[in-house]
Amino acid sequence: MHGRNASNGEAIALRGISKAFGSVTVLKDTELTVNKSEFLTLLGPSGSGKTTLLNLISGAIAPSSGEILLAGRDITRMPPRERGIGMVFQNYALMPHMTVFENVAYPLRARREPSEAIRRKVLDALDRVGLNGFDDRKPRQLSGGQQQRVGIARCIVYSPAIIMMDEPLGALDKNLREQMQTEIKRLHHELGTTIIYVTHDQEEALNMSDRICLMKNGEIAQLGTPDELYFRPNSRFVAEFIGESNLLPGKSIAANSVAIDEAEAVIAPSSERGLGSDVLVMVRPEKMHICAPDADPPAGHNVLRGVVEAISFIGGMTRITVKTAHGVSVTAKIISGPACTRPELGSAAKLSWSPTESVVLNG
Amino acid sequence: MNRSIDLKVQSLFMSPAALVAAGIILPPLCYVLITSFQGDTGPLSAYKLIVESSLFRQTLATTLGVASISSVLSLILGYIVALHLARQHPNRRTVLMVLILLPFWTSILVKCFAFTIILGRHGIINNLLSWASGFDVQLPLVLNRVGLFVGMTNFLVPLVVLPVLASLLAIDSTLYRAASVMGAKPARMFWTVTVPLSVPGVVAGLLSVFVMSLGAFVIPALLGGPQDQMLSNLVDFYNRQVLDWPKASAISVILLALASIFIVPMALWRRRKI
Amino acid sequence: MANSVLDPLSRRYRFVGSSLATVVYIFLLAPVVVTIPMAFGPTNALEFPPSTYSLDLFRILFTSDSWLLPLYTSLKVAIFSTCAALFVGLPSAYWIARYEFLGKLLISGVLISPLVIPAIVSGLGIYLYFAYIRIGGTTLSLVLGHVMVTLPYVIVMIIAGVQKLDRNLEFGAELMGANPIRMFFTVVIPELVPSLISAAFFAFLLSFDEVIISWFLTGSDTVTLPVKMYSALEWEVSPVIAAVSALLTALSLLACIVTIGLRKSSGEEVS
């Protein structure tokens, strides 16, 4: 999958797009290019501007400045119906008075296609989403998952250049959501359509996307592959929003070393920040190793000592929080074992991690 | 949404309404206004004669008095009913709503006719009282102030119930549970939770009912006595008996101005709620 | 609330509240109910309860021209004005509910104004206006006058209906390539059917019961049923009025039940 986003042309490009409602700016000057056949996720907390971005592309709202290019063509002022974009809504937005067949046929009828072509395409689309034989039902006779399949079929049936999905799985329960994620990925693979997907669920974004565009306060915080966002976050916000993270405050004291709490120096990848500047060393909890105070950590590891402050057993993983002598809490996430294998609350412990597993961020 | 509106489509959707607004709704108001300035001796003569006439002054006083009292009466009765409806299970409430909506949808003429039967000298009430007391009771209950208030209140109550009920139903029921857990007795709960939170509905209901009653015409004509005629009836009198349209129009303008004093806050109140 | 433990105090309050409410219900319903038995009473006296029962009053109502013609006029006017109010109200209510545009406040204010302007003012004005353009006393003038009265209700009811619709349905249809007209006919109108039916019933009833505007607009051969009834009540109270009342009440009951049924079937709270 990840090889497919290589430059086979741009599907949509936003050039200096911004949006303000009165004096409130909901989207600051934004540049964004989505490649053909790419699965791009707009991720962010509510109010971050991801839905605004989606609405601008669909034409639900007009931008305050900038232009939108669809396959190189300026569509900034084009009415939604001429853009040839498909959309899947969180609440499905199926016509309750129409059957499944009529719902899926709607875009084709609007395009005045001949009825036998409509029939063939609709049945094919329903087949693709696994809804064979449901064509006579009304939407309210279907489950949430089935309704959203109709919503997807209604999009793929007219082969739009881009399909946008606005939290399409938001109304479904967890198990169904995971199953539908797999199906949407499969459809994307089969059809090769460009998909712009909006969600606030980071796991969903990591699982499905070629690239993730993480938004914050009307700006792009970071744009990159799931790997880049997870392993190379560019800011504290990204590190905290995606996955769990330990953020150790410190001062840069040499090209590749950071003093944490002005006490213990740790080795960190070299940063371009000036000596003496405040930085944060980010380490993912699952990259933290924990061992007894008298054991030796792997060679070359950074080491912190402290006292076990909290233990939470959360199923497959166990989270152990250690408080260092200088009052910094650090969490390690280890694969769970029976209670006897865990350190005891209040006992001394040693934490260690490989310098390559840490990222230096601005403090 | 502030996407650019297709003006061609807009004109298609809005032009019939614009035509009705400009061709049917606005001209009558203009005609009333213009006619009111066409008195015999100068543009303001009709107003002058009207304001100086004791008939008008007396009618104005009656109108304000009747409108105020019947609004308050209907608020009290309407609140009782709204409170009762708000406490019912939704299914039962739907059934009971028929008892409010049916009178609301019933012709005002039917009600006036019925009240002449119920309240007349040989009507149901007097017959019941005669039967109960053994005397021939003939209380004058209609074609006077009593009949007018009974008719007005009956007409207005459903108009109060609907907004008050809406605001009562909007009260979060956990507030009641919280108040009672904290030890509030029913009476305290009523005065500290129910009443303050139903104020929006009460204000909306009271304003609309008052405006409605200012313009009452049929009820004073059919259930009130000669002393109980209101401004609307005076307009009709000048229009139909005296054939003096400038005066009829001048009274209409005054009535409209009077109503506007309350229509404007009512409109603002509604907008605020939205 | 329904399942909570009731202490004796709140039980007492509740009893008092229910009793008072019952009295008000009776007060509200009495005038509606009283006329029904009287409609089946004798032709020579107005009495309650009637001493004899018959269908004579209805026979007079449906055979004498002096009642039949107004009934026919009222039906005609109500049907035409309801259709016209829907034709004008549906597209404008949709547009007002969905879009912001220049002059929106002005035009919606004017369209809604007959709701709050005293009917006598509108009545006198429309009488003066129609006399000037020489259509006073015609059926057309009645229809136009009734459109003025019913349109605000139709618009308010349809706006309420539109506001309950899912905007994504309309936007989705547009995104899938439907033009605004096609979208309106294939998405909005089918979705609005319950609101349209209640608005139509209400407009019909409002027009059929309308007195004050008609009082100014009827000519000698276009007397409507309520105007006929109003003059009858003013001058000589005839027992036939009981039959007319029963007829009007039955109509109101029908409209009332249809409306509640529609709201109930679309699963919303009646209020």
Side-chain angles (χ1 to χ4, degrees):
Chain A
M1 286 285 293
H2 293 299
R4 286 161 47 89
N5 64 358
S7 58
N8 38 359
E10 59 179 43
I12 194 155
L14 309 183
R15 301 261 176 270
I17 283 287
S18 74
K19 179 67 191 175
F21 291 101
S23 60
V24 185
T25 304
V26 291
L27 189 71
K28 294 168 195 157
D29 247 8
T30 299
E31 303 282 332
L32 178 65
T33 304
V34 185
N35 297 317
K36 282 220 173 82
S37 301
E38 186 178 17
F39 194 119
L40 180 101
T41 297
L42 300 174
L43 178 67
S46 55
S48 60
K50 57 188 195 303
T51 303
T52 307
L53 205 53
L54 192 80
N55 286 338
L56 286 167
I57 298 172
S58 70
I61 55 177
S64 306
S65 72
E67 54 183 18
I68 304 170
L69 304 175
L70 185 69
R73 202 164 45 121
D74 186 353
I75 58 157
T76 318
R77 301 283 150 195
M78 193 183 269
R81 67 175 176 280
E82 291 167 17
R83 298 187 177 201
I85 289 176
M87 183 142 171
V88 178
F89 297 89
Q90 176 174 11
N91 64 354
Y92 322 129
L94 303 178
M95 320 289 178
H97 56 283
M98 296 182 186
T99 62
V100 166
F101 183 92
E102 288 167 329
N103 265 289
V104 179
Y106 193 90
L108 304 176
R109 287 189 176 149
R111 287 171 173 70
R112 300 180 195 287
E113 294 201 11
S115 59
E116 65 272 24
I118 291 179
R119 184 158 184 81
R120 186 170 43 75
K121 288 183 183 178
V122 169
L123 294 180
D124 179 57
L126 287 176
D127 189 41
R128 277 184 183 281
V129 298
L131 283 180
N132 252 332
F134 283 81
D135 43 326
D136 282 340
R137 308 264 184 104
K138 286 282 180 74
R140 66 166 174 280
Q141 295 169 296
L142 304 180
S143 70
Q146 289 169 329
Q147 290 190 47
Q148 198 55 292
R149 285 161 200 263
V150 178
I152 294 169
R154 187 172 69 166
C155 265
I156 63 178
V157 75
Y158 63 107
S159 318
I162 295 182
I163 296 180
M164 300 197 293
M165 302 193 173
D166 187 5
E167 310 222 3
L169 311 181
L172 305 179
D173 63 43
K174 194 166 181 297
N175 288 337
L176 195 54
R177 209 153 60 210
E178 281 165 10
Q179 187 191 333
M180 290 290 288
Q181 285 177 13
T182 313
E183 289 210 32
I184 291 175
K185 266 167 85 172
R186 177 181 59 77
L187 277 171
H188 175 237
H189 195 76
E190 282 175 17
L191 301 169
T193 317
T194 311
I195 293 183
I196 300 179
Y197 193 97
V198 169
T199 184
H200 60 261
D201 179 346
Q202 42 147 323
E203 284 181 24
E204 202 167 285
L206 292 171
N207 173 22
M208 304 180 77
S209 322
D210 292 330
R211 280 196 302 161
I212 296 173
C213 174
L214 178 58
M215 314 264 314
K216 181 201 180 188
N217 296 337
E219 292 185 287
I220 296 178
Q222 188 171 358
L223 175 64
T225 62
D227 275 24
E228 283 165 358
L229 264 71
Y230 190 80
F231 295 111
R232 293 281 168 263
N234 65 5
S235 66
R236 178 185 190 139
F237 170 75
V238 177
E240 285 184 325
F241 193 85
I242 300 205
E244 290 177 64
S245 56
N246 288 300
L247 292 163
L248 310 173
K251 261 191 181 16
S252 171
I253 51 172
N256 62 350
S257 117
V258 174
I260 291 179
D261 259 4
E262 298 170 10
E264 310 201 32
V266 298
I267 311 293
S270 60
S271 68
E272 281 133 40
R273 293 163 187 89
L275 289 183
S277 58
D278 289 324
V279 295
L280 289 169
V281 176
M282 194 280 290
V283 187
R284 296 287 180 193
E286 69 272 15
K287 299 296 180 191
M288 280 285 181
H289 298 267
I290 189 160
C291 58
D294 49 350
D296 281 331
H301 269 205
N302 291 315
V303 177
L304 285 176
R305 276 162 237 277
V307 172
V308 177
E309 184 188 36
I311 298 175
S312 49
F313 170 53
I314 49 166
M317 302 295 272
T318 300
R319 217 184 266 129
I320 299 172
T321 306
V322 172
K323 194 167 192 173
T324 67
H326 301 281
V328 182
S329 289
V330 182
T331 301
K333 217 167 162 186
I334 58 171
I335 293 172
S336 297
C340 56
T341 63
R342 296 173 212 151
E344 267 176 55
L345 215 56
S347 65
K350 212 187 252 178
L351 285 168
S352 72
W353 73 93
S354 157
T356 54
E357 300 292 0
S358 51
V359 177
V360 179
L361 304 169
N362 280 333
Chain B
M1 290 192 192
N2 62 349
R3 115 179 149 232
S4 52
I5 292 175
D6 191 337
L7 286 178
K8 243 189 290 176
V9 182
Q10 173 165 317
S11 65
L12 198 64
F13 276 73
M14 287 307 294
S15 55
L19 216 63
V20 169
I24 304 179
I25 300 175
L26 282 179
L29 296 179
C30 300
Y31 270 83
V32 168
L33 199 64
I34 294 169
T35 312
S36 73
F37 292 116
Q38 289 175 340
D40 298 331
T41 57
L44 287 176
S45 63
Y47 287 97
K48 191 161 179 292
L49 289 171
I50 281 300
V51 173
E52 282 169 357
S53 84
S54 60
L55 179 61
F56 171 78
R57 291 182 179 187
Q58 194 193 326
T59 313
L60 179 63
T62 308
T63 304
L64 288 173
V66 169
S68 314
I69 294 174
S70 35
S71 300
V72 172
L73 283 176
S74 58
L75 175 65
I76 296 168
L77 299 190
Y79 204 101
I80 291 171
V81 169
L83 211 55
H84 181 251
L85 285 171
R87 299 207 164 149
Q88 305 303 313
H89 183 272
N91 285 336
R92 199 174 143 80
R93 180 157 61 231
T94 309
V95 177
L96 285 172
M97 278 307 284
V98 179
L99 305 185
I100 301 301
L101 288 178
L102 183 57
F104 180 63
W105 288 58
T106 298
S107 160
I108 193 159
L109 292 170
V110 171
K111 291 189 194 176
C112 286
F113 168 67
F115 275 122
T116 58
I117 306 296
I118 295 172
L119 303 173
R121 271 191 197 280
H122 301 284
I124 299 172
I125 300 276
N126 276 324
N127 279 349
L128 274 177
L129 290 176
S130 305
W131 173 78
S133 66
F135 298 102
D136 183 20
V137 181
Q138 289 197 16
L139 291 174
L141 296 173
V142 76
L143 295 177
N144 56 21
R145 228 12 105 87
V146 178
L148 178 56
F149 279 133
V150 170
M152 290 288 283
T153 310
N154 188 278
F155 170 65
L156 297 173
V157 166
L159 296 172
V160 181
V161 172
L162 299 178
V164 173
L165 178 61
S167 67
L168 287 177
L169 289 178
I171 300 177
D172 183 354
S173 68
T174 52
L175 285 182
Y176 291 109
R177 258 183 285 156
S180 82
V181 167
M182 290 185 284
K185 287 183 181 162
R188 171 173 290 273
M189 253 182 336
F190 177 73
W191 291 110
T192 56
V193 179
T194 314
V195 170
L197 289 176
S198 63
V199 165
V202 168
V203 173
L206 208 52
L207 279 173
S208 72
V209 156
F210 187 75
V211 169
M212 286 297 279
S213 49
L214 280 180
F217 172 73
V218 175
I219 300 172
L222 296 180
L223 295 179
Q227 299 304 309
D228 308 313
Q229 298 306 295
M230 296 172 63
L231 285 176
S232 291
N233 309 97
L234 198 60
V235 172
D236 187 49
F237 172 75
Y238 276 107
N239 174 51
R240 212 163 275 263
Q241 315 289 325
V242 189
L243 305 180
D244 187 337
W245 292 292
K247 276 188 195 152
S249 300
I251 303 168
S252 298
V253 172
I254 295 171
L255 175 59
L256 183 56
L258 196 63
S260 303
I261 299 174
F262 302 93
I263 292 172
V264 172
M266 188 160 85
L268 292 177
W269 185 262
R270 279 213 191 118
R271 285 184 67 79
R272 208 195 67 164
K273 271 204 307 181
I274 296 165
Chain C
M1 291 276 286
N3 296 325
S4 60
V5 184
L6 286 180
D7 65 285
L9 197 59
S10 85
R11 204 178 285 247
R12 200 157 67 223
Y13 278 106
R14 197 157 289 201
F15 177 73
V16 173
S18 302
S19 315
L20 285 174
T22 309
V23 172
V24 183
Y25 288 130
I26 293 172
F27 170 59
L28 290 178
L29 279 181
V32 182
V33 174
V34 157
T35 56
I36 307 239
M38 299 190 63
F40 300 93
T43 58
N44 53 359
L46 272 170
E47 42 185 18
F48 187 93
S51 46
T52 57
Y53 288 92
S54 72
L55 287 173
D56 290 348
L57 292 175
F58 287 100
R59 203 165 294 135
I60 296 173
L61 171 62
F62 287 118
T63 52
S64 68
D65 274 355
S66 69
W67 286 104
L68 212 50
L69 288 179
L71 179 64
Y72 176 66
T73 306
S74 278
L75 268 177
K76 197 165 60 180
V77 170
I79 289 171
F80 280 125
S81 60
T82 300
C83 293
L86 284 176
F87 176 77
V88 175
L90 172 59
S92 57
Y94 173 73
W95 206 260
I96 290 170
R98 277 294 187 245
Y99 296 98
E100 293 301 324
F101 55 91
L102 197 68
K104 168 173 165 167
L105 206 61
L106 179 72
I107 193 164
S108 46
V110 171
L111 290 171
I112 303 298
S113 67
L115 213 57
V116 285
I117 291 177
I120 200 87
V121 180
S122 307
L124 177 67
I126 210 161
Y127 165 73
L128 296 170
Y129 172 48
F130 283 174
Y132 184 78
I133 61 172
R134 292 168 199 284
I135 58 166
T138 62
T139 309
L140 174 68
S141 74
L142 280 167
V143 171
L144 294 180
H146 284 201
V147 168
M148 174 169 88
V149 181
T150 53
L151 186 58
Y153 289 93
V154 167
I155 288 183
V156 167
M157 289 171 87
I158 296 180
I159 286 181
V162 173
Q163 282 167 344
K164 284 194 206 90
L165 296 189
D166 178 3
R167 213 174 182 139
N168 284 342
L169 281 183
E170 295 152 45
F171 182 62
E174 272 196 75
L175 210 53
M176 288 186 283
N179 66 38
I181 309 296
R182 183 187 186 94
M183 187 278 290
F184 190 68
F185 279 98
T186 55
V187 181
V188 179
I189 292 184
E191 291 299 298
L192 272 181
V193 165
S195 301
L196 290 176
I197 295 177
S198 2
F201 262 95
F202 199 70
F204 181 89
L205 202 66
L206 216 58
S207 163
F208 200 75
D209 286 345
E210 210 293 319
V211 202
I212 304 180
I213 305 283
S214 313
W215 178 240
F216 283 93
L217 291 178
T218 46
S220 52
D221 50 355
T222 55
V223 176
T224 65
L225 193 63
V227 168
K228 166 79 181 167
M229 197 171 156
Y230 178 75
S231 354
L233 283 171
E234 249 196 338
W235 304 114
E236 26 86 46
V237 177
S238 139
V240 182
I241 296 177
V244 182
S245 295
L247 194 72
L248 292 179
T249 305
L251 204 64
S252 309
L253 186 64
L254 178 71
C256 189
I257 288 170
V258 168
T259 306
I260 289 184
L262 279 173
R263 292 197 202 172
K264 194 119 179 76
S265 70
S266 62
E268 46 176 283
E269 188 64 35
V270 179
S271 63

